[in-house]
Amino acid sequence: MKSGSTIICSSKDECNQSQIASALKRACSYFIQSQNKTGDWEGEMWWCPLPTAQVVLTHKIIGHPIADEKKSSILHYFAKTQRPDGGWGFHDESHSYRYVTTLVYVAARLLGMSADDPMLRSAHRWLDSQPGGVDSVPTHGKFWLAILGLYDWHFVNIGGPEVFLTPRWFFLSPTRFYCHTRSVYRGMVYLKGVRFQYDLGFVAQTIRNELYGSDSKAADSSQRHASRHTIALTDVFHMPARVLRILYDIQRWSEGVLPYIFGTKRVRQRALAHCLERILAEQRTSNFQGLSSLSSSLNILALWHENPNHSAVYRSVEMLDSWCWTSAAEGTRYAGARSLTWDTAFTLQALTASHQVTEQVILAVRAAYHRLHNMQITNELPIEERDERDSNSGGWCFNDSTHQWAISDCTAEVISALLSCHHLPEVISLENRISVAHLQAAIGFLLTRQNADGGFGSYERSRGMHWMNNANPTEIYGNCMAELSYIECTASVLRALYIAVQDYPELGSETVRHAINRSIKFLCAQQRSDGTWLAAWGVNLIYSTWFAVEALCAAQLSPFNSTLQKAAAWLKTIQHADGGWGEHFSGCHTGSYVDHPASTVVSTSWASLALLAIEGPQSVAANRGIMWLVQRQQTDGTWSGDAVNGVFFRTALLNYRLYSCYFPTLALAKANPH
């Protein structure tokens, strides 16, 4: 009970529950107030300045001017993200990267910033202080410098477009690559294949001198030759295998010979035409957004090279702004991806788990429910436009349905979110619920992503082998060559399938039940000896362990099962003295657990949720974590983002800005008895 502003409790447990209930109410109020008019929620996926720099370069090359106000806002963003040493990192908590710093430097200069500006003077000092200088940027950096006439195409280690003519059955066919890798490299090989180069005009020599230090050094072919395999230690994560470097050398030598060999010119032209055709198809089928802002920038340059007046160029440039975020405090920046569907699904799950049934909550839940329902992809792409894509029909995208790239775990989390609303009969009436036919289509979509090992891929079913990642040419990323079976995707799908079959027994065909059993076996088999699971999309073992535990518990695995008990024991061993949990991003690089020196909001939420799923609200360790969250909630119902929490390709760390809002809210809801 309350007396004035003081809470009077008959026991510690009662006092804790009162505080949890109050914190949960504040959190729900925040989501009501922050809901978009369209019924959804979206937090920014904050990465690094790389996409923004590439968008700036793209605008400059095709002659599409950026408004002065926007230029200033982009430069403000660059200034806000510059590290104390003068460089720019690959994410919020990284050291400075040669690749990112070089591209941001050039982009800022092309936006009109003087080399004497303190921001660029500081960046220049950092670049000059690095062994190997700009010559040792990774291949992706050399690629962009070559486009701008600041590096020799002859020494850029990128394969020829002919590789995209290889048949699908060939074990290294690009059709077997992970879709993002496939999309980016298609644009890169095309642009290198046509030796695309933009003339920077009178500023070219000035910028070249700033980057390389002198005219002679910049023009020295022997230096380019020596640096073609040199990658800065600040940037390298996966050095290309020796056999790949030898193949690059053979390719570089053969480029001088091939024009004189009968038929090779026709093959090159056919390969370029094929790549361009697929690039145009990708832009059309993604409503000119491209698979990401990174690949879309390359696609725009390829299309512009073919025909500067092509309507697809103008439409694609317009749609680049669909990746854009702008705020007075942080400036204008471009994201690598957007997470509207993902964020809305988890926010809806948190709100329904809270069992707050005020009129405002009911209205917010209804709006989100219908927004998600309406974003399901119900039409298949035309067969001639699908390229190498798997079926899309029935799925949901990471962002809204405009994007047209449906994903397994997004679809699964939407199913779980929608079905959670059905357990609140006063919220969604029977006649307004998603139909069984739409659920059946969603389940059909999910089954197309299950791999032979029982696990699930993300965008597509796995087409390549895990060892293909050893042929990784990117240098800066890991595990980016082939779609794999992921713990998080498998767990999301397992939970959604099981819930759907429980609520709608008619959906539980033999095929669906077989898929459920296979995914359970996959998750149990993938548990590591310490009780953890390896993550692909979050930081890191705590994240994937929560996903796996939540799914196995939803599938009615006994809490006393050794798989779950090992997970619970591990989580308890890493709990901090203050009751929270924290995991450092560096563990993503090595696939190991690295303790964070301080407890963090998101890690504490995931660990608490996992223990609540296994041990229930009586879990002592979970309740310590919950109270840690309660004590750190801000007055507006939110929590501060305190560390990077997402990842892709092992090295690109992200800050999902709503993770520190809906995951602690979900944890409070699960800890609050109803």
Side-chain angles (χ1 to χ4, degrees):
M1 59 177 291
K2 285 187 177 182
S3 175
S5 60
T6 304
I7 300 175
I8 302 174
C9 309
S10 59
S11 69
K12 182 179 179 181
D13 286 345
E14 182 185 331
C15 189
N16 287 353
Q17 287 304 323
S18 178
Q19 293 180 66
I20 293 169
S22 297
L24 185 56
K25 186 176 180 180
R26 287 192 295 272
C28 291
S29 295
Y30 164 75
F31 283 118
I32 291 166
Q33 294 162 13
S34 62
Q35 188 174 28
N36 296 324
K37 291 181 180 179
T38 47
D40 50 57
W41 291 269
E42 184 184 8
E44 185 177 0
M45 278 178 59
W46 181 277
W47 181 26
C48 77
L50 198 58
T52 306
Q54 293 186 7
V55 168
V56 169
L57 300 180
T58 300
H59 275 270
K60 177 67 176 179
I61 291 166
I62 68 173
H64 191 281
I66 298 173
D68 289 344
E69 183 180 356
K70 194 171 188 177
K71 284 183 184 179
S72 298
S73 188
I74 291 172
L75 289 172
H76 175 64
Y77 165 64
F78 287 161
K80 290 283 289 186
T81 53
Q82 188 173 30
R83 289 180 45 77
D85 61 9
W88 281 268
F90 211 40
H91 55 83
D92 264 357
E93 300 179 43
S94 86
H95 56 265
S96 293
Y97 267 60
R98 201 83 50 90
Y99 173 29
V100 185
T101 302
T102 300
L103 260 61
V104 171
Y105 183 95
V106 175
R109 290 287 282 117
L110 296 181
L111 286 172
M113 180 173 275
S114 167
D116 291 327
D117 186 276
M119 181 180 87
L120 292 190
R121 280 208 311 268
S122 178
H124 189 269
R125 281 195 300 270
W126 184 82
L127 286 171
D128 266 359
S129 70
Q130 301 303 303
V134 172
D135 273 306
S136 62
V137 296
T139 297
H140 283 231
K142 291 180 171 79
F143 168 85
W144 277 97
L145 292 174
I147 282 178
L148 296 168
L150 301 173
Y151 196 86
D152 190 340
W153 270 123
H154 196 51
F155 303 109
V156 179
N157 288 338
I158 297 173
E162 291 82 3
V163 69
F164 278 84
L165 295 178
T166 55
R168 186 164 181 164
W169 54 259
F170 181 58
F171 66 99
L172 282 179
S173 167
T175 60
R176 295 178 177 269
F177 292 175
Y178 187 76
C179 60
H180 279 279
T181 304
R182 187 167 74 227
S183 182
V184 165
Y185 271 90
R186 184 165 48 210
M188 292 177 76
V189 299
Y190 177 87
L191 292 167
K192 186 189 177 185
V194 297
R195 290 300 193 271
F196 181 86
Q197 192 167 91
Y198 174 72
D199 184 2
L200 285 172
F202 70 94
V203 301
Q205 192 60 48
T206 302
I207 294 177
R208 190 178 292 114
N209 291 347
E210 292 166 16
L211 292 178
Y212 297 104
S214 71
D215 291 356
S216 60
K217 183 178 178 183
D220 186 358
S221 179
S222 66
Q223 172 126 355
R224 298 291 89 74
H225 176 83
S227 69
R228 72 195 188 283
H229 294 316
T230 303
I231 309 299
L233 293 179
T234 54
D235 295 29
V236 68
F237 176 74
H238 188 286
M239 182 60 73
R242 180 170 177 79
V243 65
L244 194 57
R245 297 198 296 274
I246 292 172
L247 288 174
Y248 285 141
D249 289 340
I250 293 172
Q251 176 199 358
R252 187 179 62 80
W253 170 82
S254 65
E255 282 176 340
V257 176
L258 288 177
Y260 304 101
I261 299 177
F262 179 74
T264 56
K265 186 174 181 180
R266 288 200 301 271
V267 174
R268 169 59 59 94
Q269 292 305 315
R270 187 159 65 91
L272 291 171
H274 172 77
C275 288
L276 192 68
E277 177 191 347
R278 293 298 88 206
I279 285 169
L280 181 58
E282 170 55 34
Q283 292 304 103
R284 282 198 300 252
T285 55
S286 64
N287 289 295
F288 300 96
Q289 287 182 320
L291 178 53
S292 72
S293 61
L294 298 176
S295 59
S296 190
S297 292
L298 298 171
N299 292 347
I300 288 169
L301 295 180
L303 293 169
W304 185 83
H305 172 267
E306 173 65 17
N307 179 6
N309 297 314
H310 199 301
S311 60
V313 173
Y314 296 102
R315 186 76 182 107
S316 297
V317 172
E318 288 176 353
M319 291 306 290
L320 273 178
D321 276 350
S322 65
W323 304 102
C324 185
W325 289 83
T326 300
S327 64
E330 295 173 311
T332 295
R333 61 273 184 198
Y334 288 79
R338 298 195 65 154
S339 54
L340 183 146
T341 297
W342 184 251
D343 288 336
T344 303
F346 276 112
T347 302
L348 187 54
Q349 289 180 51
L351 286 174
T352 56
S354 75
H355 283 263
Q356 304 280 319
V357 289
T358 65
E359 183 178 356
Q360 288 180 312
V361 171
I362 289 172
L363 290 174
V365 168
R366 280 178 185 163
Y369 183 98
H370 293 303
R371 174 67 165 143
L372 287 176
H373 184 187
N374 292 333
M375 287 196 295
Q376 185 179 23
I377 297 174
T378 54
N379 297 316
E380 190 56 85
L381 296 171
I383 190 67
E384 66 275 9
E385 295 286 319
R386 278 173 60 181
D387 193 13
E388 301 95 354
R389 289 206 207 183
D390 284 350
S391 170
N392 256 351
S393 183
W396 276 266
C397 302
F398 194 51
N399 193 26
D400 61 28
S401 56
T402 306
H403 190 258
Q404 291 288 306
W405 273 92
I407 307 178
S408 65
D409 53 352
C410 294
T411 300
E413 295 301 341
V414 170
I415 293 172
S416 296
L418 296 180
L419 296 185
S420 72
C421 297
H422 297 179
H423 295 276
L424 302 174
E426 66 271 33
V427 177
I428 307 295
S429 60
L430 282 171
E431 61 271 18
N432 289 320
R433 293 181 180 181
I434 187 171
S435 69
V436 173
H438 281 80
L439 285 173
Q440 202 159 27
I443 290 173
F445 166 83
L446 291 176
L447 296 182
T448 66
R449 268 58 181 176
Q450 189 167 32
N451 295 320
D453 60 6
F456 284 79
S458 56
Y459 288 92
E460 298 166 333
R461 181 180 286 158
S462 181
R463 302 162 175 196
M465 304 300 289
H466 193 284
W467 61 261
M468 284 174 61
N469 287 308
N470 295 326
N472 175 7
T474 66
E475 302 152 352
I476 52 177
Y477 299 112
N479 289 358
C480 64
M481 292 303 292
E483 180 84 79
L484 305 174
S485 289
Y486 306 109
I487 298 301
E488 305 98 302
C489 294
T490 305
S492 289
V493 173
L494 169 59
R495 187 165 69 99
L497 290 179
Y498 199 89
I499 292 171
V501 169
Q502 291 294 103
D503 289 0
Y504 294 86
E506 63 269 34
L507 296 176
S509 66
E510 184 178 347
T511 302
V512 172
R513 294 187 183 279
H514 183 55
I516 289 173
N517 290 334
R518 289 175 63 212
S519 57
I520 291 173
K521 290 178 181 177
F522 172 82
L523 288 178
C524 290
Q526 292 298 312
Q527 187 180 34
R528 308 195 316 174
S529 59
D530 61 358
T532 65
W533 285 265
L534 185 62
W537 307 110
V539 179
N540 175 24
L541 302 186
I542 295 177
Y543 177 74
S544 52
T545 296
W546 166 58
F547 267 93
V549 162
E550 193 78 46
L552 293 172
C553 289
Q556 304 299 307
L557 202 69
S558 168
F560 301 105
N561 182 283
S562 61
T563 297
L564 296 177
Q565 285 298 302
K566 283 168 63 178
W570 177 76
L571 287 168
K572 291 174 185 177
T573 64
I574 62 167
Q575 187 171 23
H576 292 171
D578 62 6
W581 282 264
E583 187 169 5
H584 196 265
F585 73 84
S586 58
C588 296
H589 301 166
T590 59
S592 60
Y593 174 74
V594 178
D595 191 38
H596 198 286
S599 297
T600 64
V601 169
V602 176
S603 289
T604 301
S605 301
W606 293 331
S608 299
L609 281 163
L611 287 170
L612 286 167
I614 299 169
E615 300 179 345
Q618 68 273 19
S619 170
V620 174
N623 277 306
R624 291 181 63 217
I626 294 296
M627 292 312 299
W628 186 93
L629 291 171
V630 168
Q631 291 158 12
R632 282 152 183 82
Q633 188 184 37
Q634 301 175 135
T635 55
D636 64 354
T638 66
W639 288 260
S640 62
D642 43 21
V644 289
N645 46 48
V647 66
F648 68 93
F649 297 161
R650 297 185 69 178
T651 57
L653 276 296
L654 307 166
N655 186 353
Y656 286 77
R657 291 192 160 178
L658 276 186
Y659 272 19
S660 58
C661 294
Y662 52 68
F663 283 127
T665 303
L666 185 59
L668 294 178
K670 294 292 181 73
N672 187 44
H674 312 299

